[in-house]
Amino acid sequence: MRLYWTMPDELRIHYKNVLQKYNEEFTKGNLSVAWRHLERAHILGQPWPREHNYVHWLMLKFGIHIKDKKEIIGQIPRLLIGGIKVSLRRTAS
């Protein structure tokens, strides 16, 4: 069994690009577009614990910013167990 901790460089470029677009749209106040970029970053980062948890952290901050209790409450357990879940899933591969 092999554990993968590092996102491949070819994919990291796209991941960082999507996060940059998120930041740009969030700063402009285009929250629905910003959220779509976070969702894309989540998909790209999902197999890697660090990237996956970072996107959930951003989603939590986003939920706080828009004062969405459901989003806030939903992100907390994902942050607490998401990285562990991803690590275990990747180890079993």
Side-chain angles (χ1 to χ4, degrees), residues 15 37-47 52 55-56 59:
Y15 174 79
H37 289 303
L38 272 184
E39 290 176 322
R40 287 185 189 117
H42 179 259
I43 292 167
L44 291 171
Q46 204 163 21
H52 187 224
V55 173
H56 281 295
M59 289 176 162

Side-chain angles (χ1 to χ4, degrees), residues 32-66:
S32 62
V33 176
W35 181 257
R36 285 196 301 272
H37 289 303
L38 272 184
E39 290 176 322
R40 287 185 189 117
H42 179 259
I43 292 167
L44 291 171
Q46 204 163 21
W48 294 274
R50 182 177 35 230
E51 289 80 3
H52 187 224
N53 275 352
Y54 181 65
V55 173
H56 281 295
W57 169 247
L58 293 176
M59 289 176 162
L60 173 63
K61 288 176 32 176
F62 187 93
I64 292 168
H65 178 78
I66 64 170

Side-chain angles (χ1 to χ4, degrees), residues 2-38:
R2 187 171 174 197
L3 181 61
Y4 298 92
W5 286 104
T6 305
M7 179 184 273
D9 291 337
E10 311 81 51
L11 186 57
R12 181 172 300 285
I13 293 166
H14 298 290
Y15 174 79
K16 286 186 173 186
N17 184 34
V18 171
L19 288 178
Q20 181 179 351
K21 289 178 183 178
Y22 159 73
N23 282 319
E24 290 169 3
E25 296 301 330
F26 184 84
T27 301
K28 292 178 192 175
N30 297 332
L31 299 180
S32 62
V33 176
W35 181 257
R36 285 196 301 272
H37 289 303
L38 272 184

Side-chain angles (χ1 to χ4, degrees), residues 2-5 46-50 52-53 81-93:
R2 187 171 174 197
L3 181 61
Y4 298 92
W5 286 104
Q46 204 163 21
W48 294 274
R50 182 177 35 230
H52 187 224
N53 275 352
I81 63 170
I84 296 168
K85 182 179 170 186
V86 170
S87 297
L88 292 174
R89 184 175 62 232
R90 294 296 289 186
T91 304
S93 301

